[in-house]
Amino acid sequence: MKLHITQSDYEALRVHGEETYPHECCGVLLGHARDDGNHVAAIVRAGNTRTDSAHNRYNISPMELIKIQREARKQGYDIVGFYHSHPDHPAMWSSTDFAEAHWFGCCYVITSVEKGKSVLTNAFHLSGTTEEDKAFQHEEILITQAAGENA
Amino acid sequence: MKINIPTPLRAFTDKQATVEVAGETVQAGLDALVAAHPELKNHLFTADGKLRSFVNVYLNDDDVRYLPNTEASAVNADDELTIIPSIAGGTGVRASRSLCCR
């Protein structure tokens, strides 16, 4: 299983983390789930509602997520994952990320942003079907040149 | 009414993104959904029958938790329910603490 994403979308989510530094950015990956992994066709920036602790927390409001999902369906896409940044922290999921992860089958992309510059981007697939058996599995990011679904 | 199913729960609705159910209230709609797709029950509700904390249900553009009648709110045939799990996280640590992973 790999995350298939275009170079431009990959760069865009990394730039987003630089723009919001020292706060966390967040956004949604749209596309299609296929047998070989999730294929990203577009990314959508989202607002971080955790203004009280934006340096180490993110939350996307459900209503914003619903609006993103509505627009995605009009274009024939589904939500296949999410991304956020870790300002001055590794590109590794945290205990908070794990506890708050409920989108089984989706990909969680994390970019470490050190001193305002994006460094490493990792992808983690949320496997399992329940809160008891869920797990994050490191997923290879496959950069595509054309549309994500053509990879 | 139409109920929009999020990506992670479609494994329990025969891959359907939307499910049509009958019911005059939000609760009736959810009950009908679970009756048609029993595996959803544990994903949506706690053992005492309450919506799990990370499961959000919207009646059109309104969070059901904040409607005056919550799950007892009346629903018309052309209304939409949307189930949307929360999405949140972050490093969750102060700058002086190490990252905690399992």
Side-chain angles (χ1 to χ4, degrees), chain A residues 7-114:
Chain A
Q7 183 74 46
S8 60
D9 282 341
Y10 178 77
E11 290 301 330
L13 66 84
R14 286 166 58 84
V15 167
H16 192 189
E18 295 178 350
E19 290 180 8
T20 61
Y21 182 88
H23 297 157
E24 297 196 5
C25 74
C26 50
V28 185
L29 309 178
L30 306 178
H32 298 106
R34 303 199 191 286
D35 290 342
D36 61 348
N38 288 317
H39 292 241
V40 178
I43 70 166
V44 180
R45 291 186 176 197
N48 182 0
T49 67
R50 288 299 303 266
T51 53
D52 60 319
S53 191
H55 66 289
N56 67 355
R57 290 273 199 268
Y58 80 94
N59 180 81
I60 301 175
S61 82
M63 194 62 240
E64 182 173 16
L65 203 52
I66 289 172
K67 289 178 178 176
I68 290 170
Q69 184 171 261
R70 284 178 185 159
E71 287 303 310
R73 286 182 180 174
K74 289 179 185 174
Q75 301 171 54
Y77 301 137
D78 279 322
I79 292 175
V80 295
F82 305 91
Y83 70 87
H84 73 281
S85 60
H86 279 181
D88 298 318
H89 277 277
M92 174 60 72
W93 54 272
S94 67
S95 57
T96 305
D97 289 326
F98 183 76
E100 301 279 4
H102 310 296
W103 287 72
F104 306 113
C106 287
C107 188
Y108 288 70
V109 174
I110 300 173
T111 298
S112 60
V113 183
E114 296 180 8

Side-chain angles (χ1 to χ4, degrees), chain B residues 16-36:
Chain B
Q16 297 178 85
T18 62
V19 176
E20 284 282 350
V21 298
E24 296 183 349
T25 64
V26 171
Q27 188 64 57
L30 293 175
D31 289 344
L33 174 68
V34 170

Side-chain angles (χ1 to χ4, degrees), chain B residues 65-78:
Chain B
R65 287 190 177 94
Y66 299 108
L67 289 175
N69 295 320
T70 61
E71 282 92 346
S73 300
V75 179
N76 296 317
D78 57 350

